[in-house]
Amino acid sequence: MLFDFYGALLTRRQQEVYLLYRDEDMSLGEIGAALNISRQAVHDILRRTEKILSTYEEKLQLVEKFTGIRGKLAEIRGLIESGCEDPAGRILEKIAEIDSLERR
């Protein structure tokens, strides 16, 4: 999920290596052969990329906010579907919780 949020901030090479590894399920050796770089270079790029993505998340917390908001929306959906007493008041509470997540 980190790549989905922050992948555009990576270099083209980092994106390429990461996608080949993650989406194409290629081994380090296969990626190295395809890109004409060493297996060690692929390993280094992947490690650096993961560290960069983690650093972006530590600073921006977009994934954390996104998952929190999705969770609150699921709770709202559950309140609506369950027919609970005073759903409007409880839904407004959940919306306020979403607002606080967005402000962080």
Side-chain angles (χ1 to χ4, degrees), residues 23-70:
D23 293 349
E24 302 299 323
D25 199 29
M26 293 174 70
S27 70
L28 302 184
E30 290 170 330
I31 296 169
L35 300 178
N36 200 28
I37 58 177
S38 71
R39 180 189 175 287
Q40 183 63 45
V42 172
H43 179 266
D44 292 344
I45 290 170
L46 286 171
R47 287 193 56 191
R48 260 194 322 273
T49 299
E50 289 170 358
K51 183 174 173 63
I52 290 167
L53 293 173
S54 294
T55 300
Y56 287 147
E57 178 58 17
E58 286 172 18
K59 292 179 180 180
L60 301 173
Q61 299 178 347
L62 295 178
V63 174
E64 181 182 335
K65 290 175 187 176
F66 175 77
T67 55
I69 290 169
R70 279 181 58 188

Side-chain angles (χ1 to χ4, degrees), residues 2 46 48 62 77 83-84 91 95-96:
L2 292 178
L46 286 171
R48 260 194 322 273
L62 295 178
R77 190 175 299 112
C84 71
I91 289 170
I95 291 171

